[in-house]
Amino acid sequence: MTDSTSTSTEAVLDRARFGADGLLPAVVQEESSKDVLMLGWMDREALRRTLTEGRVTFWSRSRQEYWRKGDTSGHAQYVRAAALDCDDDTLLVTVEQVGAACHTGAHRCFDVDPLDPVTASAPADASADASADASADATVSDLTEATR
């Protein structure tokens, strides 16, 4: 690891907002299919390992230990990208998934218990409204900047 990688990793670790329990939710997405595979939890050390070793490492809340996906099952996750969300309190890890992601053997953890929610569609003019809102927000922002 180069000094710049070390520095940038430390900056990310300092910026990440871990919960009161010291954990950060990590959503794992498959690079090729864009499927959301699973959700795991990381503490600062698990996040550091994930960012610097190229394999996804989690903190097991039940076993109170680190686990690297695939070490016992062979169903490994190789890091392709990572991003914190806009609040720095959730991580998205894009991976090359080898084998099943779920401990049940399912490809995705969300394949195991599909629900049947009531669904809805956005109104036909919703995208136009969203564009207008974004344009109005930009205008307000521009005006605010101009008056400073």
Side-chain angles (χ1 to χ4, degrees):
M1 171 172 30
T2 66
D3 285 342
S4 64
T5 302
S6 177
T7 302
S8 63
T9 300
E10 285 303 313
V12 170
L13 294 172
D14 290 342
R15 197 171 80 233
R17 293 181 50 215
F18 298 91
D21 57 2
L23 299 176
L24 177 80
V27 177
V28 179
Q29 180 183 41
E30 187 171 37
E31 180 182 42
S32 61
S33 68
K34 304 300 183 211
D35 285 347
V36 173
L37 299 175
M38 61 176 291
L39 172 76
W41 296 93
M42 294 183 183
D43 66 1
R44 186 179 175 96
E45 177 61 17
L47 177 56
R48 185 194 65 72
R49 291 180 189 187
T50 298
L51 295 175
T52 61
E53 297 176 1
R55 294 273 308 275
V56 181
T57 300
F58 298 103
W59 174 254
S60 171
R61 296 175 299 165
S62 60
R63 295 188 312 267
Q64 295 289 294
E65 65 184 16
Y66 294 103
W67 60 281
R68 192 168 69 167
K69 191 71 171 164
D71 279 353
T72 58
S73 68
H75 300 171
Q77 295 173 336
Y78 296 93
V79 177
R80 294 294 179 249
L84 287 167
D85 75 340
C86 57
D87 296 319
D88 296 327
D89 64 359
T90 303
L91 181 71
L92 173 64
V93 185
T94 305
V95 302
E96 177 185 343
Q97 178 69 44
V98 175
C102 186
H103 72 280
T104 66
H107 180 66
R108 302 176 303 175
C109 292
F110 300 100
D111 290 338
V112 177
D113 189 14
L115 306 177
D116 190 21
V118 172
T119 60
S121 298
D125 60 348
S127 65
D129 290 345
S131 295
D133 288 347
S135 178
D137 288 347
T139 303
V140 169
S141 177
D142 293 343
L143 289 173
T144 303
E145 284 298 316
T147 59
R148 285 189 184 173

